[in-house]
Amino acid sequence: MQLIEWDARAYDQLPLPHQRWGSATIRRLRLAGDETVLELGSGTGRDAELLLDALPAGRVVAVDGSAQMLAQLRHRLAGRMDRVTVVRADLREPLILDEPVDAALSVATLHWLPDHDVAFQTVAAALRPGGRFVAEAGGAGSVDRVRAALRTITGDDGGQWWNFAGVDQTTCRLQRAGFTGITVDLVPDFAILDSSEQFEAYLATVVLGAQLRELPAPQRRPFVHAVAREMGEPVIDYVRLQIDAMRA
Ligand SMILES: C[S@@+](CC[C@H](N)C(=O)[O-])C[C@H]1O[C@@H](n2cnc3c(N)ncnc32)[C@H](O)[C@@H]1O
């Protein structure tokens, strides 16, 4: 299956809960300031920018599959790209990076990857022994309200579009990939949008982005509108999977 392109302009205009997820996840890394940090699913570079601020003598290796998201990252980080390596890659496949890294971060990306064993092996292969991996993503129980609306409208809850993992599965996968000192939590965290317009833009750009690509363009807006109407309250019922682990 082809990699999905993200609408980077629309994405950066949204009031994203990802902003607080990103800064909280970076804080969990407790950086000294001279590390090289891998970011898996760097998107438009919002967290890479925070990482550069926290790494006056360090570097960021930003990996993402979307050309649009990476173009926006390069634009955002213009003037600081001497400390950034950009890698465009499909994270559904194993990836070997050219440089080893001291720490790794991933925000709101793992649930878009169908095989977490592959993603964790990519991180483990890049990390030096003792290096930390912190991540957060959608986890088991996420977006049940969206899925109920999809089931009502189409007869299918769209579960195949996301990989919402649980605590035990994730812990086993991290162990298999060579991690130790593993903590995994599931934390309910609802995103409340201000208006129906914002709600529909958020659904279209983030939650339903992948599904919409399958529909002919003229059907996309009416479909999003139907999902939003079926859901009623402009609330996305996220459950966040939070990971903290160390490369053995
Ligand atoms: C919701 S965005 C999160 C971006 C950023 N971490 C943030 O918090 O704003 C998900 C990102 O995962 C990337 N992604 C999804 N599937 C991917 C794949 N198979 N390979 C590489 N990147 C992928 C998308 O391109 C997108 O930038």
Side-chain angles (χ1 to χ4, degrees), residues 87-129:
V87 179
R88 184 170 182 221
D90 185 348
L91 291 165
R92 294 172 298 186
E93 304 293 331
L95 173 68
I96 301 289
L97 295 170
D98 291 340
E99 48 187 327
V101 299
D102 303 300
L105 168 91
S106 185
V107 176
T109 296
L110 291 173
H111 56 277
W112 295 109
L113 304 177
D115 188 340
H116 286 176
D117 282 315
V118 170
F120 295 161
Q121 280 155 20
T122 291
V123 177
L127 268 178
R128 65 164 172 76

Side-chain angles (χ1 to χ4, degrees), residues 58-114:
R59 299 181 48 75
V60 174
V61 180
V63 181
D64 202 280
S66 162
Q68 275 196 49
M69 294 298 242
L70 289 175
Q72 178 70 3
L73 175 145
R74 286 191 181 89
H75 178 70
R76 187 196 295 271
L77 302 181
R80 307 176 86 181
M81 288 301 290
D82 55 325
R83 294 197 291 128
V84 181
T85 303
V86 175
V87 179
R88 184 170 182 221
D90 185 348
L91 291 165
R92 294 172 298 186
E93 304 293 331
L95 173 68
I96 301 289
L97 295 170
D98 291 340
E99 48 187 327
V101 299
D102 303 300
L105 168 91
S106 185
V107 176
T109 296
L110 291 173
H111 56 277
W112 295 109
L113 304 177

Side-chain angles (χ1 to χ4, degrees), residues 110-114 116 138 142-144 146-147 150 157-165 206-211:
L110 291 173
H111 56 277
W112 295 109
L113 304 177
H116 286 176
S142 255
V143 305
D144 278 354
V146 180
R147 293 175 71 168
L150 289 172
D157 76 353
Q160 70 276 14
W161 291 102
W162 307 286
N163 180 7
F164 292 136
V206 183
V207 186
L208 301 175
Q211 270 148 283

Side-chain angles (χ1 to χ4, degrees), residues 158-173:
Q160 70 276 14
W161 291 102
W162 307 286
N163 180 7
F164 292 136
V167 171
D168 292 347
Q169 283 169 305
T170 302
T171 304
C172 288
R173 288 169 179 156

